[in-house]
Amino acid sequence: MAGHPPPVVGWHPVAWLSIQGASLASNESKNLYANERTFIHWVHMSVVMGSIATGLLAFAKRQKGRDEMFAIQVMAALLIVTAISFIVYALCMFLWRRKVIALKLGNGEAPLGPLVLASVFSVCLVSIFFFGVVQPKV
């Protein structure tokens, strides 16, 4: 193995798909199942956000004013975009962690991603509260 370069683990799609010389069967199953559980939890959160956005859109149709309807549609679109970003992040991390686990390079922790996504989701919820409940008069 002296002539082979070290395995590349990164965000490049080719690096995700080319797990050379690693067998997934030789890894501890608890790490693989934990990776799958984490992926399922992120997708579940995305589905919840999509459901909230769908409810907002249904509520927007009942509004008589165009301004209120537009504000609710903007909030729903913000939630949909956030939900899609959660799914994309979950898929990227699932594939990256699978490769890290298969190559036995660590546990695949990435503490910054959940912090950023939780912050974006918090901003979405605050904007829904601000524009939906408080309704400032301009």
Side-chain angles (χ1 to χ4, degrees):
M1 295 206 72
H4 296 290
V8 177
V9 177
W11 292 98
H12 195 273
V14 176
W16 291 339
L17 299 175
S18 62
I19 301 177
Q20 299 172 351
S23 92
L24 293 175
S26 67
N27 288 311
E28 296 180 20
S29 61
K30 68 177 183 173
N31 291 336
L32 294 173
Y33 289 135
N35 189 26
E36 290 178 7
R37 272 193 315 271
T38 304
F39 175 69
I40 290 171
H41 285 296
W42 280 104
V43 171
H44 177 262
M45 187 64 188
S46 300
V47 169
V48 168
M49 283 192 294
S51 300
I52 293 170
T54 303
L56 283 172
L57 287 175
F59 179 70
K61 290 181 181 178
R62 296 182 182 173
Q63 298 300 314
K64 295 180 182 174
R66 293 186 67 123
D67 293 337
E68 293 89 5
M69 186 176 185
F70 179 73
I72 294 172
Q73 288 174 342
V74 167
M75 289 185 287
L78 184 64
L79 273 177
I80 291 289
V81 168
T82 305
I84 291 171
S85 67
F86 269 48
I87 289 177
V88 168
Y89 172 79
L91 181 61
C92 291
M93 288 306 296
F94 174 75
L95 295 173
W96 179 71
R97 283 182 182 143
R98 184 185 70 172
K99 182 166 184 159
V100 167
I101 291 169
L103 296 174
K104 298 181 181 177
L105 297 174
N107 58 3
E109 285 187 30
L112 186 62
L115 179 65
V116 169
L117 290 174
S119 300
V120 169
F121 185 57
S122 299
V123 168
C124 289
L125 291 180
V126 167
S127 69
I128 289 172
F129 177 76
F130 183 72
F131 290 114
V133 177
V134 176
Q135 295 178 359
K137 302 290 181 188
V138 178

